[in-house]
Amino acid sequence: MAASPPALPDPGPEPPKRRFRTVVTVLWAVAALVLTVNLFGGGESADDAGPPHAPPAVAAASAAPEVPDRPSTSATPHRSAASGAGPQLPRSRPVRLLIPKISVDAPFTDLAINPSGQLEPPPPNDTNLVGWYAKGHTPGEAGTAIIAGHVDTATSPAVFAGLSELKKGDRFQVRRADGSKATFVVDATKSFEKDAFPSDRVYGDTPEAQVRLITCSGSYDRQARDYTENLVVFAHLV
């Protein structure tokens, strides 16, 4: 469902706000190549025909710092000095995702990039767990935060089974380790063919605090043991 990058050095309490700027071109190019041949797998059923339930790969191109465990001294949203950047929060690890419209109340797990350059999905058999790209932007921080979850498991629907129901204007929250709640409003919900996934649009850096919720969608191809599309919810901090 999601991915994460390699470990990065701790830059201190005030990480740069444009970590992806110098690497976004590499991210787009590598992700585009990976998407054509390698998608993440989830759990497989006992008859070897279960769904992989995975979103497209994220290249390990971020230079984001480790997330400090200590609470932030300022968890109140503030507007960036950059024109049009919108509100943003200090860096803080996500703890829980709350989407009332589709009854999601789920804890987070860290996701990392595996040796082949693919983002590892959340554990395949946990129906109520979401993952985030732990070396990327945290939800609420300036930049694009990536959150992924399974649409189903080998035996039942999973946390993002109802994700397609989200529409423009719907709201959801991310509870963070510093005690704050980051509230996001949905801008769009779109499904993309996996062989034509717009990596730059989904993973590209942004001056705003934005989030992408990603899961599988479309038809299930039993031969490939994969879904044909990925569903992406685009949202921004309010």
Side-chain angles (χ1 to χ4, degrees):
M1 290 303 129
S4 63
L8 298 163
D10 184 353
E14 286 291 334
K17 295 181 179 178
R18 305 300 298 157
R19 286 176 294 275
F20 285 10
R21 185 185 301 277
T22 59
V23 294
V24 69
T25 300
V26 176
L27 171 62
W28 299 345
V30 175
L33 290 174
V34 173
L35 283 169
T36 60
V37 291
N38 292 321
L39 295 175
F40 312 126
E44 296 183 1
S45 66
D47 63 1
D48 199 36
H53 339 301
V58 176
S62 170
E66 298 287 348
V67 184
D69 292 329
R70 63 182 181 279
S72 168
T73 57
S74 175
T76 302
H78 65 278
R79 186 167 295 275
S80 170
S83 177
Q88 55 192 247
L89 290 165
R91 187 169 178 79
S92 180
R93 182 181 301 278
V95 174
R96 204 161 189 92
L97 177 65
L98 307 171
I99 313 178
K101 182 176 181 178
I102 57 174
S103 302
V104 169
D105 183 350
F108 278 88
T109 187
D110 293 1
L111 300 178
I113 294 291
N114 65 26
S116 63
Q118 295 174 285
L119 184 66
E120 296 175 344
N125 297 318
D126 193 330
T127 60
N128 192 48
L129 183 69
V130 293
W132 73 291
Y133 183 66
K135 302 301 180 180
H137 297 284
T138 62
E141 182 182 21
T144 303
I146 305 299
I147 298 174
H150 294 298
V151 66
D152 57 14
T153 67
T155 58
S156 68
V159 62
F160 277 171
L163 198 65
S164 62
E165 297 176 26
L166 295 185
K167 307 298 180 186
K168 183 176 180 179
D170 288 338
R171 296 192 175 206
F172 61 90
Q173 288 187 328
V174 175
R175 289 181 182 169
R176 303 175 357 128
D178 62 7
S180 66
K181 288 183 181 180
T183 300
F184 296 88
V185 63
V186 173
D187 297 312
T189 300
K190 296 187 177 295
S191 195
F192 304 102
E193 293 287 340
K194 288 192 174 183
D195 60 0
F197 191 82
S199 301
D200 54 349
R201 179 177 177 183
V202 176
Y203 300 133
D205 197 13
T206 169
E208 295 182 309
Q210 297 191 12
V211 159
R212 308 288 185 254
L213 307 179
I214 306 177
T215 194
C216 288
S217 63
S219 303
Y220 182 69
D221 185 335
R222 287 191 169 273
Q223 183 174 1
R225 295 203 307 251
D226 198 1
Y227 285 94
T228 58
E229 301 176 12
N230 282 115
L231 183 73
V232 181
V233 173
F234 298 81
H236 69 275
L237 181 70
V238 294

